[in-house]
Amino acid sequence: MTEDDRLILDFAARWWKTAGAQHDAITAELGLSPTRYTQRLNHLLDDPEALEYNPTLVRRLQRIRSQRDAARAARRTLR
């Protein structure tokens, strides 16, 4: 896991606790577009090293991702 990966996880860990313009903060703090940040964060959620680095955060985000995926699948079956 790279230092950039750790920065992304650290950002994700503290961001959910505060309100504000997350998109602007992603660009300012990480130098990434919000889309690229989301892609990299999702990739990290499947990385065992990320789980070892911050297990509480990674498990919480995995749970949120699974719930969103399930909701998306349920909407598709209703169409």
Side-chain angles (χ1 to χ4, degrees):
M1 197 165 75
T2 67
E3 183 61 29
D4 286 346
D5 293 340
R6 287 184 195 87
L7 289 173
I8 290 170
L9 289 172
D10 292 344
F11 180 87
R14 75 176 181 280
W15 186 258
W16 71 276
K17 298 176 186 176
T18 61
Q22 182 179 19
H23 286 30
D24 294 339
I26 290 167
T27 302
E29 290 186 36
L30 302 174
L32 299 171
S33 71
T35 300
R36 185 66 183 136
Y37 163 78
T38 302
Q39 290 169 341
R40 290 195 53 192
L41 181 59
N42 274 312
H43 177 74
L44 285 168
L45 296 183
D46 298 322
D47 185 340
E49 288 182 45
L51 183 61
E52 185 178 319
Y53 178 73
N54 192 333
T56 304
L57 171 70
V58 171
R59 286 191 187 109
R60 181 174 59 82
L61 294 176
Q62 286 172 335
R63 201 169 39 254
I64 291 168
R65 182 176 65 178
S66 293
Q67 291 168 348
R68 287 181 183 158
D69 290 347
R72 212 174 285 124
R75 283 193 303 270
R76 278 194 294 261
T77 60
L78 293 176
R79 291 182 189 173

